[in-house]
Amino acid sequence: MTPERQKFLNDLATLLVDGSPHAVALGFKVDDVGEGDAHMRLPYREDLVGDPETGVIHGGAVTALLDHVCGLAAFTGFGGEDTPATLDLRIDYMRPAEPGQDIIAEAVSLRSRGLVSFVRATAHDGNTDEPVAIAQAAFMITNASKAAQDRARKAIREGDAS
Amino acid sequence: MSEPLISTLLETPYIAGLGVEFDHRGDELTGCLPFRDDLVGNPLIPALHGGAVGAFLEIVATGSLIVSQPLDRLPKPIDIAIDYLRPARAADVFARAQVARSGRRVANVRVEAWQGRRGAPVATLHGHFLITPKRSDD
């Protein structure tokens, strides 16, 4: 990949995370993004705990991280042109995350063609061989996401013109 | 029913932070996720974050398991499958669950979430949860 292309993907990834209020609220960070793959991180925070007895992060926060990282992989899998919407998301919670550890999620688009993208992801807390959760998801370019994309492009064009 | 466990669930930092509310009558429970700006995933549509909706469905599943029978501990998710049927708009979300089967260790739950119209669900969840029922001789 050319450095220009990598910069384009990095800028888009940052936009798609920092531009998403819920991702910001949960503290998501992008570690790496390529053509059809993405690595993100959920830094450990006590206000995300789902079991006060153990200090383990709530499954819902992991669900949101997996949804976002899969969406990012689908987005770059489509070439970074259209933001797809989640069709379905299936998650297996293999074990509780280690309290105090960041949760790292890695997603890869298995196929992104036409309107549909198939993505697989793993979440772990340091060791990829011992996943906390695994996910499989399908994404789709919808009319709503296309319309939003057109509005964004229009806003960018008008911003450039002014 | 396990009233203290419902309070434990709602007071959990993540769930309290998300702002989830329960309308709980007998063994029936309706969850509400009141709209807030920081629940938005894509501000251009604007649509709620799929992860926030998914997490809410999971919490309603957990709450419904707690009100359906006496449990010793909070149920733990084993696996979940979420279908997104419509974009969740910038508005409150409601959800109700049905415990399809509840055994000695595992329960199978289905949850449906809607916004304006109950007949137009925005997302559904189907999942298995690990449960620890109170023993009848306790």
Side-chain angles (χ1 to χ4, degrees):
Chain A
M1 200 192 310
T2 64
E4 292 76 25
R5 180 66 182 169
Q6 186 63 59
K7 183 177 183 313
F8 169 75
L9 290 177
N10 289 350
D11 289 350
L12 278 177
T14 307
L15 201 69
L16 285 179
V17 176
D18 295 346
S20 170
H22 195 58
V24 171
L26 294 175
F28 293 172
K29 303 277 178 253
V30 181
D31 281 345
D32 192 24
V33 60
E35 304 278 6
D37 62 78
H39 292 201
M40 282 175 58
R41 173 186 301 267
L42 171 64
Y44 184 83
R45 264 183 16 204
E46 293 201 341
D47 63 346
L48 300 179
V49 164
D51 186 343
E53 275 181 35
T54 59
V56 171
I57 285 190
H58 193 274
V62 180
T63 303
L65 178 70
L66 284 167
D67 180 50
H68 211 103
V69 77
C70 285
L72 200 49
F75 176 71
T76 59
F78 278 127
E81 293 298 319
D82 289 293
T83 44
T86 322
L87 265 189
D88 72 8
L89 174 66
R90 225 201 73 82
I91 300 177
D92 292 315
Y93 295 102
M94 319 281 275
R95 65 174 178 87
E98 204 59 52
Q101 295 288 106
D102 293 0
I103 297 179
I104 297 155
E106 311 180 355
V108 56
S109 146
L110 304 175
R111 187 184 160 87
S112 302
R113 295 283 188 286
L115 294 176
V116 182
S117 172
F118 301 93
V119 183
R120 191 174 283 166
T122 305
H124 62 88
D125 49 14
N127 181 359
T128 41
D129 293 334
E130 298 255 348
V132 165
I134 54 170
Q136 184 141 341
F139 288 80
M140 191 169 176
I141 310 247
T142 63
N143 287 336
S145 62
K146 264 203 179 312
Q149 204 72 18
D150 289 344
R151 279 200 297 279
R153 288 207 186 93
K154 188 161 175 279
I156 291 166
R157 271 202 310 275
E158 284 171 359
D160 286 345
S162 64
Chain B
M1 224 294 291
S2 336
E3 193 66 60
L5 216 46
I6 276 286
S7 307
T8 306
L9 182 69
L10 287 175
E11 287 160 12
T12 293
Y14 174 74
I15 297 175
L18 205 58
V20 174
E21 294 168 2
F22 285 161
D23 179 16
H24 162 213
R25 291 153 202 243
D27 63 353
E28 284 196 340
L29 183 147
T30 306
C32 176
L33 179 67
F35 174 74
R36 252 182 13 212
D37 286 334
D38 66 358
L39 298 177
V40 170
N42 185 342
L44 293 170
I45 294 182
L48 299 187
H49 197 286
V53 175
F56 170 59
L57 287 167
E58 198 179 310
I59 293 160
V60 173
T62 310
S64 300
L65 282 170
I66 294 170
V67 301
S68 73
Q69 64 185 313
L71 299 176
D72 270 332
R73 285 196 292 279
L74 292 178
K76 290 194 168 63
I78 298 170
D79 60 33
I80 57 162
I82 306 162
D83 285 329
Y84 295 94
L85 307 172
R86 293 176 173 80
R89 295 169 293 104
D92 297 354
V93 191
F94 306 95
R96 285 187 88 158
Q98 208 177 2
V99 178
R101 182 187 136 79
S102 187
R104 284 169 50 83
R105 303 293 294 160
V106 174
N108 179 312
V109 189
R110 287 162 198 281
V111 194
E112 196 170 82
W114 71 94
Q115 292 189 298
R117 212 155 52 79
R118 180 80 161 93
V122 293
T124 61
L125 175 144
H126 164 219
H128 294 95
F129 291 76
L130 207 55
I131 53 169
T132 45
K134 275 194 196 297
R135 290 168 52 154
S136 50
D137 55 329
D138 282 352

